[in-house]
Amino acid sequence: MKKKSVVAVLMVLVMCLLTACGTKFDAKEYVASCLDVQFKGEYEQYMKMTKTSKEDAQKLYKEGIDSFMKGYEQLSLPDELNNKFREAYKKMLKSAKYTVKDAKETDNGFKVTVTVKPMKCFENYDQELAKMQEKFLKDFQEKFAKDGKIPSKEEITKQMAEIIYKDLEERISNCEYGEEETFDVSVEKENDKTYTANETDLGKIAKAALGV
């Protein structure tokens, strides 16, 4: 999984722009529900805050996973391996560490403070992925020199994908985190009953949480 694959999905992660409704609006709960639905796949509070259907709330989460998986569709991997990558990515999202601290009222809504511990498991990932590919090619050449057999293109792709998956799973399972960072999310008042979280602010949190 290259970093650009992670970054691509951030466009989905920050699309929590459906307005929250209610006379007794809780900005802290609203921001928490936005993050929870997209990182953890938890829908109930988000549905309550935004008056969104379960189908639409689940769609937000699913679109994030689907965006990540687009990077593998062109490889035509077996369904079993595709499903492994999908589950690994869900595990990565759920491993994100963030805490919604408090909300302070402003002239045009609220300022919600969120702390994040960035993932460090994908630092220098592009370079390390290149090394994995180089080693795979070297091993392949040595094996070919020994037995003279050339696997099909599909088999070669599958073998490399399995190496990447194993590495991805190990990174996520043993992920370490950086120093805590603090962010503010502006929740702007549209009218007396509706509020919207700032897209740019949510994007910063998503990037920090995933360490990209």
Side-chain angles (χ1 to χ4, degrees):
M1 181 189 63
K2 293 184 178 180
K3 278 193 175 182
K4 64 182 180 181
S5 300
V6 179
V7 173
V9 80
L10 293 175
M11 292 306 297
V12 178
L13 287 174
V14 300
M15 289 304 293
C16 185
L17 300 178
L18 297 176
T19 48
C21 309
T23 53
K24 294 183 178 179
F25 176 68
D26 188 327
K28 178 180 176 180
E29 286 295 324
Y30 170 50
V31 171
S33 73
C34 287
L35 297 173
D36 289 348
V37 73
Q38 297 183 82
F39 280 101
K40 301 177 181 179
E42 297 176 359
Y43 316 115
E44 295 302 322
Q45 190 61 22
Y46 180 78
M47 290 164 56
K48 179 180 177 181
M49 296 292 293
T50 63
K51 307 302 181 185
T52 304
S53 68
K54 183 176 182 179
E55 181 180 3
D56 286 340
Q58 289 176 326
K59 185 179 179 181
L60 276 176
Y61 182 63
K62 183 177 181 297
E63 284 180 347
I65 308 299
D66 290 344
S67 294
F68 168 75
M69 290 304 299
K70 283 181 180 179
Y72 295 95
E73 288 177 356
Q74 60 185 343
L75 301 178
S76 300
L77 299 175
D79 289 343
E80 181 181 1
L81 190 51
N82 268 321
N83 289 335
K84 285 183 178 181
F85 275 110
R86 182 177 288 271
E87 291 305 311
Y89 187 62
K90 288 181 181 179
K91 183 177 178 180
M92 185 187 79
L93 289 178
K94 289 183 179 180
S95 298
K97 292 187 180 293
Y98 59 86
T99 303
V100 182
K101 293 289 189 177
D102 54 42
K104 295 181 180 179
E105 196 164 0
T106 64
D107 292 338
N108 190 40
F110 296 86
K111 181 177 71 174
V112 181
T113 301
V114 181
T115 59
V116 173
K117 289 187 176 181
M119 291 182 178
K120 298 179 66 178
C121 41
F122 295 104
E123 290 182 345
N124 304 314
Y125 183 72
D126 288 345
Q127 296 92 320
E128 292 173 10
L129 176 61
K131 290 179 180 178
M132 280 189 283
Q133 292 171 330
E134 289 174 5
K135 184 179 185 304
F136 176 79
L137 179 59
K138 181 180 178 181
D139 291 345
F140 172 79
Q141 291 172 334
E142 290 177 352
K143 189 174 186 302
F144 173 70
K146 182 177 180 180
D147 57 30
K149 296 180 180 179
I150 302 178
S152 66
K153 180 180 178 181
E154 291 75 16
E155 181 60 27
I156 293 173
T157 300
K158 179 175 177 290
Q159 290 176 10
M160 185 67 229
E162 287 174 340
I163 292 172
I164 293 174
Y165 166 73
K166 182 178 179 181
D167 176 76
L168 174 62
E169 181 66 28
E170 289 177 354
R171 287 174 186 272
I172 297 170
S173 298
N174 300 294
C175 193
E176 296 183 353
Y177 297 82
E179 295 288 332
E180 187 174 84
E181 299 178 13
T182 301
F183 298 86
D184 289 328
V185 178
S186 294
V187 179
E188 299 166 359
K189 189 174 184 179
E190 302 294 330
N191 56 50
D192 289 342
K193 293 185 179 181
T194 60
Y195 298 81
T196 302
N198 183 273
E199 177 180 1
T200 301
D201 294 344
L202 288 173
K204 291 177 180 178
I205 291 174
K207 289 180 180 179
L210 297 177
V212 299

